[in-house]
Amino acid sequence: MDKRIAVIGAGPSGLAQLRAFQSAAAKGAKIPEIVCFEKQANWGGLWNYTWRTGLDQYGEPVHGSMYRYLWSNGPKEGLEFADYSFEEHFGKQIASYPPRAVLFDYIEGRVNKAGVRDWIRFETAVRMVTWDKNTRKFTVTVQDLPKDHCYSEEFDHVIVASGHFSTPNVPEFPGFDRFNGRILHAHDFRDAREFIGKDILLIGTSYSAEDIGSQCWKYGAKSVTNSYRTAPMGFDWPANWEEKPLLEKVEINTATFKDGSTKRIDAIILCTGYKHHFPFLPDDLRLRTANRLATADLYKGVAYVHNPNLFYIGMQDQWFTFNMFDAQAWWARDVILGRIKVPADKKALVADVEARVAGEDAGKDSYDAIRYQGDYVKELIAETDYPSFDVDGANEAFFEWKKHKKKGIMEFRNHSYRSVITGTMAPPHHTPWKDALDDSLESYLGAAETTAAAE
Amino acid sequence: MDKRIAVIGAGPSGLAQLRAFQSAAAKGAKIPEIVCFEKQANWGGLWNYTWRTGLDQYGEPVHGSMYRYLWSNGPKEGLEFADYSFEEHFGKQIASYPPRAVLFDYIEGRVNKAGVRDWIRFETAVRMVTWDKNTRKFTVTVQDLPKDHCYSEEFDHVIVASGHFSTPNVPEFPGFDRFNGRILHAHDFRDAREFIGKDILLIGTSYSAEDIGSQCWKYGAKSVTNSYRTAPMGFDWPANWEEKPLLEKVEINTATFKDGSTKRIDAIILCTGYKHHFPFLPDDLRLRTANRLATADLYKGVAYVHNPNLFYIGMQDQWFTFNMFDAQAWWARDVILGRIKVPADKKALVADVEARVAGEDAGKDSYDAIRYQGDYVKELIAETDYPSFDVDGANEAFFEWKKHKKKGIMEFRNHSYRSVITGTMAPPHHTPWKDALDDSLESYLGAAETTAAAE
C-alpha cells in the first residue's frame, strides 16, 4: 500500500494509534507506512517524567507536566486497555491508584509487545504541516534535534496526538511582577519537597490544584491555600488547608483575596489549566476548541471537519483516558483503511459535532458527564474491532471514586475497584497513600515500606 | 521603492535596525517598507522584564532572561549609542552601572524619538521563513498570537535580530531527577529573594554565575557555591561564597564535586549559557555558530554567506553591545540601500569569515578580545554614516572595568567612567551597589535611599 501516515506524538494517544495499526497488521491487514514524530527521547508523553522545566536541552518547550510522587488521581479500572490488562502486564492484579512509574511501565508494556518502537522518530520536533489541495497531500516539516537537521516529507493523512495538558494557561494577577518568591504554573511543578515548611498559594480548583496541594501537604508544606473563581472544591481538607475566593493582588509576600482577607505566602502555583496549542499547524488545519467533552470541529470527536484527512486523538476533556484514546485510534485507523466511511458532505460532519455539543450541554452534573463520555467510547468501539468492554462498569468505578473523594480527600486512594477487563478485584495497597512516601515501582508492587520515610 | 524588509525581533538589535532605516529616511533617502515581527507585547527584547518563566500566556517560549535587581554588569560607557547619548536622554550625566529599568528607558528613548513603533507587529511569533530561489523572495509565516491567526508575506530581505541569550543551554548531571529542590537555568531566575536563607549551587563561571550569585548574596542567600569546569572565577568572594570543581552528582540535597568534597544545597541554578536557536529557519537559512566574537558563516559578521539577502544582527559574543548592533544595522541597511556592495563571489565571503576567525584566534587574552571587537566596530562604522566615536576610549573603559572587578567584585559597580560620546565623566552613584536594594529608575536617578531596605 502506498499511503503514508504521520502520527504526531508518542504519548498514550500516539501509541494507541501505532498499536491500532499494528493490531490490524497482526490480523493480516495491509497497513500503510506509519511515521510517528516524537519530540522527546522516549515514548510515554506526559508519563515520561523529566526534571526539566521550561525549555529542554534542544531549546524546545518541555512537554512534561508530570511531577515526582504523582499517583493516578482516578482508579486504574477506568483507564485499563481492553486489549492489554494490568494482570497481563504485571502477572497479577495490582492496587487501584498506581504511581507514575507503574503506569508508565504498563503503557510501555503494550507497545513493547506490539513491537512498534521502530516506527517512531524520537527527538524530532514537528515545525510545520501544510496541506496541498491539488496533490491532496500533507507536507510535514520536522527538525531532527540531535542532528540539527530540518527536512520535509509528504503524507496522505496526519494524526495529531500531541496532547493538550502540556502548554500551560498562565494568567497574570496584579503584583506578580513584584512578588518576592517563586511563581510557577503546575506544568513546571516537579518536587513537593521544594515547598517543605512553606506557605503555598494555589490558584484554581482543577485536578492540578487538588493534587499538587495534596502532594505539598503530604510532603510537609506549612500551609496550603487555594483560591477559587466560582466555588471552592469543598473537600474535607486538613487543618492547614484553606480555600479562599479569587486572588485580587499580591504585594511582596502578602496575598489579598476578593473578600478582603490576606495571607502571607512564600510561593504561588498557578493551577489554571492548559491550552490546546499547535504552533506547527496553519489556520486551515489548526483545531481551536475549548477543553470539553464535545470538542469543536471534530467529527466523531476525531476527524477534522474542515479536512477529514486530518485526525486528532485525545483532544477531549477526559474522564476516560487510555481506552478512549484506543477507541479513537482504532476508529481513525479504520477510516484510513477504508473500513469506515466519513460522509463526503461537510454538513453531515458539522451536524455530528453540533449533536455532540448539544448532548454534552444537556447533562446536569459530572455523573451525566461520565455517562456521556462512556457512551461516546461505546459508540466508537462498536464501529471497530477494538475489544468491547464493560463501559458501564467503568462508569461505576468513576462514580464510586467521586464518592470516595468526598468522604476523604487524603484517603480516597486507599480504595480498590473491580477490573472491567478481567473481572478481578484490585487488592488494597499495602500502605495508606498519605504514608507512602516512596513512589517507586518496586515499592508499589512490593511489600509495605519498612519505614515511612524510606527515601 | 518596492522592496520589503522583515526584521525579526524588536530588542536592541532589531531596534537598531529600525533606527538605522529611519535615520536614512530622515536624511532624505527613500527606504523600503520595514516590517518588524516581535513576539512580546512590548519592545526592548531582554530588557523588557517579565515575571513569567517557561512558556508565556500564548504558549510561546518566554524570551526574557532578565531578573529583578539586575544592574548593568559592564560600564554604560561601553554601550552608549553614538547617535543618542545618556545625557541627551536623561538631561544629565548618570552613574555608570544603571539597573535594568534605567537602561530600558534609555533604549526606548531613542526609538520613541525616531517614531518607529508603528513598524512593529507586536505579539506576533515567526513560525517559518523560506527562500524561493526562483522569485528570490523570502516567505515569512507568522502567527498573530492574540488573534490566533497565521499568515504569510513575502520579503526581499530578512534580518534576524532575535537574540542569542534567550534559549538556555541546559545540561543534566547525575541525580537531577531525584534532587529535592528547585533546579533552574539562569534564564528562569527572577527574584533573588526566593533564595533568602538558602544554600545555592551555581553551575558555571559565566557572567550569569557571577551576577546571579552576587544578587543572591546581596539579598540574603545563606551561602553561594559555584562549580567550575576548567578554572574558578578567582574573584575575592565574600566569606559565604565558595568555588568548587565540577559537580559530579547530587543525591537528595547533597552535591558531590569532582574533588570528592560535598555540600548541602537547597537549589541549583544552571549558569551554563545560551544557544543560538532559530526554530523558524530551515537548514539553508539557519545560522549554526558557537558563541564567539567571529561567528561562523557571517560576512562582515552580518550577511549570511550562504544567502547574503539574509542578515543576522548581534549574533556575536559581546563586549560591545548596543553600539555594535548599531554598527551592524547601519551596515546591513546600506547593503540593502545599495550603498555597500557585497561581493558576488561566495569564496570572498567565506574568506572574510575565515580571516575573522583567525584574527580572533590570534588573541591571547580578554584584553585582546576587547580590542578585536573594538576594531570590528570601527571597521563597520567606517563604511556607513553611523556617528564615529572613540572606540579606543570605550576599550579603555572595559579595561578599567576588568581591573575594578578584580579589585572588588562586590564594589566594582561603585566606579565611574568617562563617556566617549559626550566626554563627560559619570558621577559616582549615591549608594554603594551592595546597599542599594531598590533598583527602580526613580531610586537610581534620585537622591540616596533613606533606608537601606527601602522596598
Side-chain angles (χ1 to χ4, degrees):
Chain A
M1 185 178 272
D2 292 318
K3 271 193 176 180
R4 300 190 79 226
I5 315 296
V7 177
I8 300 177
S13 294
L15 293 177
Q17 195 63 66
L18 303 193
R19 164 67 179 143
F21 278 108
Q22 176 272 336
S23 157
K27 291 182 183 174
K30 289 254 185 229
I31 62 165
E33 182 189 352
I34 316 287
V35 179
C36 177
F37 299 105
E38 168 56 50
K39 192 170 72 173
Q40 301 187 80
N42 199 4
W43 55 21
L46 290 180
W47 298 91
N48 176 27
Y49 173 78
T50 174
W51 60 270
R52 294 176 182 277
T53 59
L55 301 176
D56 72 12
Q57 64 272 43
Y58 298 113
E60 300 298 308
V62 168
H63 184 77
S65 302
M66 180 61 63
Y67 38 91
R68 292 184 68 188
Y69 324 129
L70 177 137
W71 293 35
S72 177
N73 67 345
K76 77 180 203 305
E77 287 72 20
L79 57 74
E80 193 164 10
F81 298 126
D83 65 336
Y84 188 77
S85 69
F86 280 95
E87 280 176 85
E88 176 179 350
H89 181 70
F90 290 108
K92 62 178 184 186
Q93 187 52 283
I94 67 169
S96 286
Y97 291 92
R100 181 204 68 84
V102 175
L103 282 173
F104 178 82
D105 198 68
Y106 173 61
I107 295 166
E108 183 169 60
R110 181 171 72 153
V111 278
N112 271 331
K113 184 181 169 195
V116 294
R117 196 171 172 99
D118 290 349
W119 297 0
I120 306 169
R121 299 187 193 169
F122 289 105
E123 295 186 296
T124 300
V126 176
R127 292 278 179 247
M128 189 54 69
V129 180
T130 56
W131 165 254
D132 185 324
K133 62 178 189 287
N134 298 315
T135 63
R136 301 189 65 74
K137 300 268 188 191
F138 295 96
T139 298
V140 178
T141 301
V142 303
Q143 187 162 357
D144 178 322
L145 298 168
K147 290 185 182 153
D148 192 12
H149 168 52
C150 290
Y151 61 92
S152 299
E153 292 187 5
E154 290 194 341
F155 294 93
D156 298 279
H157 294 280
V158 170
I159 298 166
V160 182
S162 53
H164 65 101
F165 296 113
S166 177
T167 302
N169 175 52
V170 193
E172 177 164 16
F173 288 83
F176 269 19
D177 58 337
R178 295 177 58 79
F179 178 66
N180 285 153
R182 185 175 180 196
I183 302 172
L184 66 155
H185 187 277
H187 174 61
D188 290 335
F189 178 81
R190 289 292 178 273
D191 191 324
R193 296 189 202 237
E194 178 185 338
F195 302 102
I196 291 174
K198 297 281 186 192
D199 295 306
I200 64 165
L201 171 64
L202 309 166
I203 311 291
T205 54
S206 61
Y207 288 119
S208 294
E210 176 189 312
D211 197 58
I212 288 174
S214 296
Q215 293 286 349
C216 289
W217 172 82
K218 175 176 170 178
Y219 285 89
K222 187 170 160 201
S223 74
V224 177
T225 305
N226 80 276
S227 160
Y228 56 86
R229 182 180 295 276
T230 44
M233 290 185 271
F235 292 111
D236 185 18
W237 297 115
N240 57 346
W241 186 316
E242 190 180 10
E243 299 208 60
K244 291 272 197 187
L246 192 62
L247 180 68
E248 194 171 81
K249 61 175 177 180
V250 290
E251 286 169 298
I252 315 304
N253 281 99
T254 301
T256 303
F257 303 93
K258 288 286 182 198
D259 62 357
S261 67
T262 61
K263 196 150 186 176
R264 200 204 151 275
I265 48 166
D266 293 305
I268 300 171
I269 307 178
L270 299 166
C271 301
T272 44
Y274 291 89
K275 300 163 96 87
H276 289 75
H277 187 63
F278 310 103
F280 50 85
L281 293 177
D283 282 10
D284 58 332
L285 303 178
R286 192 165 71 254
L287 179 68
R288 295 165 170 102
T289 182
N291 184 31
R292 55 176 299 165
L293 302 179
T295 47
D297 292 343
L298 295 181
Y299 172 73
K300 292 269 182 178
V302 178
Y304 191 53
V305 297
H306 306 297
N307 183 339
N309 297 296
L310 176 67
F311 301 91
Y312 285 88
I313 307 293
M315 292 300 159
Q316 290 72 18
D317 196 15
Q318 294 156 11
W319 301 93
F320 286 81
T321 53
F322 300 167
N323 44 32
M324 179 174 75
F325 310 152
D326 280 2
Q328 295 180 321
W330 259 253
W331 189 90
R333 175 202 73 184
D334 282 357
V335 172
I336 291 168
L337 295 182
R339 298 173 178 180
I340 292 175
K341 290 281 170 234
V342 171
D345 179 8
K346 185 171 171 180
K347 277 183 198 152
L349 307 185
V350 170
D352 173 89
V353 173
E354 285 170 356
R356 286 175 202 281
V357 168
E360 181 187 3
D361 290 347
K364 284 179 224 40
D365 56 18
S366 52
Y367 291 87
D368 283 346
I370 290 166
R371 280 185 212 101
Y372 173 87
Q373 196 159 54
D375 287 346
Y376 168 63
V377 172
K378 285 189 217 173
E379 174 191 348
L380 291 194
I381 288 179
E383 300 186 31
T384 73
D385 68 351
Y386 187 70
S388 80
F389 66 96
D390 179 9
V391 172
D392 294 329
N395 286 351
E396 288 301 323
F398 287 127
F399 298 160
E400 276 193 79
W401 161 63
K402 288 187 69 70
K403 286 171 196 152
H404 289 149
K405 283 177 70 176
K406 208 73 197 167
K407 210 169 134 193
I409 189 67
M410 299 307 179
E411 286 86 37
F412 75 90
R413 287 190 175 94
N414 305 333
H415 291 279
S416 301
Y417 310 84
R418 184 176 303 282
S419 167
V420 293
I421 309 302
T422 55
T424 326
M425 191 67 194
H429 190 47
H430 53 63
T431 307
W433 170 81
K434 76 177 177 57
D435 300 321
L437 300 179
D438 178 352
D439 67 330
S440 68
L441 180 141
E442 296 70 25
S443 169
Y444 194 76
L445 298 180
E449 294 178 51
T450 49
T451 65
E455 196 178 339
Chain B
M1 187 179 272
D2 293 318
K3 271 193 177 180
R4 301 189 80 226
I5 316 296
V7 177
I8 300 177
S13 294
L15 293 176
Q17 195 63 66
L18 303 192
R19 165 66 180 144
F21 278 108
Q22 176 272 338
S23 158
K27 291 183 183 174
K30 291 254 186 226
I31 62 165
E33 182 190 353
I34 315 288
V35 179
C36 177
F37 299 105
E38 169 55 50
K39 192 169 73 172
Q40 301 188 82
N42 199 4
W43 55 23
L46 290 181
W47 298 90
N48 176 26
Y49 173 77
T50 176
W51 59 271
R52 294 176 183 278
T53 57
L55 301 176
D56 72 12
Q57 64 271 43
Y58 298 113
E60 298 299 309
V62 168
H63 184 77
S65 303
M66 180 62 62
Y67 38 91
R68 292 185 66 189
Y69 324 128
L70 177 137
W71 292 35
S72 176
N73 67 345
K76 77 180 204 304
E77 287 71 22
L79 57 74
E80 194 164 11
F81 298 126
D83 66 337
Y84 189 76
S85 69
F86 280 94
E87 280 177 85
E88 176 179 350
H89 181 71
F90 290 107
K92 63 178 182 185
Q93 187 51 283
I94 66 170
S96 287
Y97 292 92
R100 180 203 69 83
V102 175
L103 282 174
F104 179 82
D105 198 69
Y106 173 61
I107 295 166
E108 184 170 60
R110 180 170 72 153
V111 278
N112 272 331
K113 184 182 169 195
V116 293
R117 196 170 171 98
D118 290 349
W119 298 359
I120 306 170
R121 300 187 192 168
F122 289 105
E123 295 186 295
T124 301
V126 176
R127 292 277 179 248
M128 190 54 71
V129 179
T130 55
W131 166 254
D132 185 325
K133 62 177 189 286
N134 298 315
T135 63
R136 300 191 65 74
K137 301 266 188 193
F138 295 96
T139 298
V140 178
T141 301
V142 304
Q143 187 161 357
D144 179 322
L145 298 169
K147 290 186 182 153
D148 192 13
H149 168 52
C150 289
Y151 62 93
S152 299
E153 292 187 5
E154 289 194 341
F155 294 92
D156 299 279
H157 294 279
V158 170
I159 298 165
V160 181
S162 54
H164 65 101
F165 296 112
S166 177
T167 302
N169 175 52
V170 193
E172 178 165 16
F173 288 83
F176 270 17
D177 57 338
R178 294 177 57 80
F179 178 66
N180 285 153
R182 185 176 180 197
I183 301 172
L184 65 155
H185 188 276
H187 175 61
D188 290 335
F189 178 81
R190 288 293 178 272
D191 191 324
R193 295 188 203 238
E194 177 186 338
F195 302 101
I196 290 174
K198 298 280 187 193
D199 296 305
I200 63 165
L201 171 63
L202 309 165
I203 311 292
T205 55
S206 62
Y207 288 119
S208 295
E210 177 189 309
D211 198 57
I212 289 174
S214 297
Q215 293 285 349
C216 290
W217 172 83
K218 175 175 169 178
Y219 285 89
K222 187 170 159 201
S223 73
V224 177
T225 304
N226 81 277
S227 159
Y228 56 86
R229 183 179 295 276
T230 42
M233 291 184 270
F235 292 111
D236 186 18
W237 298 114
N240 58 345
W241 186 316
E242 189 180 11
E243 299 207 61
K244 291 272 198 188
L246 193 62
L247 179 68
E248 193 170 82
K249 61 175 177 180
V250 290
E251 285 170 298
I252 314 304
N253 282 98
T254 302
T256 304
F257 303 93
K258 287 287 181 197
D259 62 356
S261 67
T262 62
K263 195 149 186 176
R264 200 203 150 275
I265 48 167
D266 293 305
I268 300 171
I269 307 177
L270 298 166
C271 302
T272 43
Y274 291 88
K275 299 162 96 86
H276 290 75
H277 187 64
F278 310 102
F280 49 84
L281 293 177
D283 282 11
D284 58 332
L285 303 177
R286 192 165 71 254
L287 179 67
R288 295 165 170 105
T289 182
N291 184 32
R292 55 177 299 165
L293 303 179
T295 47
D297 292 343
L298 294 181
Y299 172 73
K300 292 268 182 180
V302 178
Y304 191 52
V305 297
H306 305 297
N307 183 338
N309 297 296
L310 175 68
F311 301 91
Y312 285 88
I313 307 291
M315 292 301 159
Q316 291 72 18
D317 197 14
Q318 294 155 11
W319 301 93
F320 287 81
T321 54
F322 299 167
N323 44 32
M324 180 174 75
F325 310 152
D326 280 3
Q328 295 180 320
W330 259 251
W331 189 89
R333 176 202 72 184
D334 282 357
V335 172
I336 291 168
L337 295 181
R339 297 174 179 179
I340 291 174
K341 291 279 171 234
V342 171
D345 179 8
K346 185 171 172 180
K347 278 183 198 151
L349 308 184
V350 171
D352 173 89
V353 173
E354 285 170 356
R356 286 175 202 282
V357 168
E360 182 188 2
D361 290 347
K364 284 178 225 39
D365 56 20
S366 51
Y367 291 87
D368 283 346
I370 290 166
R371 279 186 212 101
Y372 172 88
Q373 196 159 53
D375 287 347
Y376 168 63
V377 172
K378 285 189 215 172
E379 173 191 349
L380 290 194
I381 290 178
E383 299 185 32
T384 73
D385 68 353
Y386 187 70
S388 79
F389 67 95
D390 179 9
V391 172
D392 294 328
N395 286 351
E396 287 302 323
F398 287 127
F399 298 161
E400 276 191 80
W401 161 64
K402 288 188 68 70
K403 285 171 197 152
H404 289 149
K405 283 177 69 176
K406 209 73 196 166
K407 208 168 134 193
I409 188 68
M410 299 306 179
E411 287 84 38
F412 76 90
R413 286 188 176 94
N414 305 333
H415 291 279
S416 302
Y417 311 83
R418 184 175 302 282
S419 167
V420 294
I421 309 302
T422 56
T424 327
M425 191 69 195
H429 189 48
H430 53 64
T431 307
W433 171 80
K434 76 177 177 57
D435 300 321
L437 299 179
D438 178 353
D439 67 330
S440 69
L441 181 140
E442 296 71 24
S443 170
Y444 193 76
L445 297 180
E449 295 177 51
T450 49
T451 65
E455 195 177 340

